[in-house]
Structures are given as C-alpha cells and as structure tokens.
Amino acid sequence: IYTLSLHDALPILASFLQEKKTASQMTAMRERMEGLQKVSLIGQLSSMIAHELSQPVAAMRYFCSAQRAMLRGSSIDPVRLSRSVDGIQKGLERTTAIIDKVRGYIRGSNSRNEQVPFDRTFAEAVGGIRKDLRDSVKFHVEGDMHVSLRGDPLEMELIFYNLIKNAMEAALEAPDPRVEVAVSVSSGRCTISVSNSGVFMDESQMRVFETPMVTTKTDGHGLGVSIVRSLAEGQGGHVQFKARAEGGVTATVVMNVWTEPERLSPSSDR
C-alpha cells in the first residue's frame, strides 16, 4: 500500500480544499446570477403584461359602453348584444392567455417549439387592432401566407400585433397612409417585412428602435419594439428596422420555419 507523508499530503489537501471552496463560490455566484436574471425577467414581464393587456382591456371597455348605450335605449338589438358579449369573451380569453404566459415564464415551463400557422396567427393579430385604425390605412399582404413557423402562438401574435399596429399609426403621418406586408421563405427561415409610409427618418431618429423606453409617440412608452425584439430572439429569430428612402420604416422579422420532427424507423431502434 502506497502512503504519503504528512509533508507530501498537505499540499494535496490544500489544493482539494481550494477547489472545493472555488466550486462552492461558483455555485453561489451562479445562483445569485440566476436570481438577478429572474428579478430582471419579472421586471420585463411586468412591463410586458401592462403593455399587452391594454388592448383587450380597452376592447372590453368599448363593448361594455356599447351595452350600456343599448340599455339606455328603447330597445335592445339581439345581434349587437351578442356581438358585444362575444367581444368581451374574446378579450377575457386573451387576457387569461397573456397572464398564463407570464406565469409560465416565471415557472420556466413555456415551450417555444410548437407549430404556428402564420395565416391564422397573422389574422388574429390584425383583428386585434382597433377597426378605425385599420380602416384609415391601405393594407396589403403578399407572399407565402400558408407557411408554419416554429415558436409560441401567443408570442408570435404579439410580435405581429405590435409591428402592424405601430406601422399603421406611423403611416397616418403620410398623405397616403399605407402598410405593406411581404412574406417569403428560404433555407428554413421565414422573412416577414412590414413597411409603412410616413415621414423620413434620419440615423439619429432611427436610434429610437434600438433604445428601450424611448418613443416618438406622445402617448407611448417605448415598450412595443423592446417586446418584439425580446420575443423574436427568444424563439430563435431576430428583428431589424430600416428607414425607407421615400419615408417611413421597414421592420423585418426572421423566424424559423416549422419542420416535422424526424421519426425513427422501427429498424433504427434495434
């Protein structure tokens, strides 16, 4: 049996204890970083939920006002009442979905590996924009609308809702308000470009799209672009903004296309 003298064993023991101390310190540091990241995430999610819930809450407030107006009238239109109730129900479902999504973020239980039909998700996003704004802008969509993306359905909808709503609001500053959407697929990636007419923006003005909590809107908070960027990157995509020479901005989102998971054949399991 090989034995070590005390003189030879002490350096080895000291090295072992140092490594154990370093490993303990690294574990503590990692736990602290994870805690800070969680606090940061909760802060971001608080901003997100406040920003995104404003739309369904405003819609429900509108439908409640419509019902009050009917109650004050001499008669109640069953069709209008049914449409109003449906609108409130849809707003409640969207509110619940957003809250459940935030809870999932905190628990770390969200999956971003689902098949997301672009046409259906895009239609839901556009439908969530208030009608008077949609009617004020010429809206055109072209390209492969039947592609499916890989990600999270609600997050995708929030991306498209924010981009299109912002584009329509910006287009109102042009004599001919117009928003054009182009969808193309190449090499497993889907590119969605949202272009709006509007005022010309120089380099310094375009920095607004890179700085959270900064906005050119009098009633905005600068959260929409930040949320879009965070949601896109969280699903393996990215977003960029570019000024148009004729005025306005083009927002380009690139996301992964859905592909069916490969299934092992019976022979490959042997």
Side-chain angles (χ1 to χ4, degrees), residues 33-257:
M33 287 296 295
E34 289 174 354
L36 290 173
Q37 289 175 357
K38 192 168 185 178
V39 170
S40 176
L41 175 61
I42 292 173
Q44 293 176 13
L45 294 176
S46 298
S47 298
M48 173 182 167
I49 194 170
H51 183 273
E52 295 305 331
L53 285 180
S54 62
Q55 186 268 331
V57 168
M60 288 187 286
R61 185 184 298 118
Y62 167 80
F63 287 119
C64 286
S65 298
Q67 289 186 16
R68 288 196 189 94
M70 279 189 283
L71 290 173
R72 287 195 297 266
S74 57
S75 63
I76 296 178
D77 184 343
V79 176
R80 288 181 60 196
L81 179 61
S82 176
R83 188 182 302 126
S84 177
V85 171
D86 289 344
I88 292 174
Q89 179 65 35
K90 187 173 182 180
L92 289 171
E93 290 173 355
R94 183 175 179 84
T95 299
T96 301
I98 293 173
I99 293 173
D100 287 345
K101 177 62 61 178
V102 172
R103 287 175 175 167
Y105 287 140
I106 297 173
R107 293 194 304 263
S109 59
N110 281 323
S111 171
R112 290 169 168 168
N113 195 33
E114 299 180 48
Q115 182 177 3
V116 184
F118 175 80
D119 53 356
R120 189 188 313 159
T121 306
F122 188 83
E124 287 288 336
V126 175
I129 299 171
R130 67 180 197 272
K131 189 175 183 300
D132 64 311
L133 178 58
R134 297 199 311 267
D135 292 344
S136 301
V137 177
K138 294 179 181 177
F139 188 57
H140 176 71
V141 184
E142 62 180 16
D144 189 355
M145 295 290 291
H146 299 294
V147 64
S148 285
L149 308 178
R150 181 182 297 277
D152 178 272
L154 179 60
E155 291 186 359
M156 289 287 186
E157 184 181 334
L158 292 177
I159 289 173
F160 301 141
Y161 170 81
N162 276 288
L163 288 180
I164 297 166
K165 176 175 174 289
N166 288 347
M168 286 184 173
E169 290 175 344
L172 294 178
E173 300 182 23
D176 182 27
R178 182 184 301 270
V179 173
E180 298 177 349
V181 179
V183 185
S184 61
V185 177
S186 177
S187 302
R189 303 280 274 179
C190 179
T191 301
I192 305 105
S193 297
V194 181
S195 302
N196 63 268
S197 57
V199 298
F200 174 77
M201 298 188 69
D202 59 27
E203 186 176 342
S204 63
Q205 292 171 313
M206 288 299 296
R207 293 197 191 102
V208 170
F209 295 100
E210 306 296 331
T211 309
M213 307 300 289
V214 175
T215 180
T216 57
K217 300 178 183 177
T218 56
D219 60 345
H221 304 287
L223 290 169
V225 171
S226 179
I227 290 172
V228 166
R229 194 182 303 280
S230 177
L231 293 179
E233 292 175 354
Q235 297 176 90
H238 65 267
V239 59
Q240 62 181 16
F241 299 87
K242 184 178 180 181
R244 303 170 73 224
E246 62 272 38
V249 173
T250 294
T252 302
V253 184
V254 180
M255 304 299 297
N256 291 318
V257 172

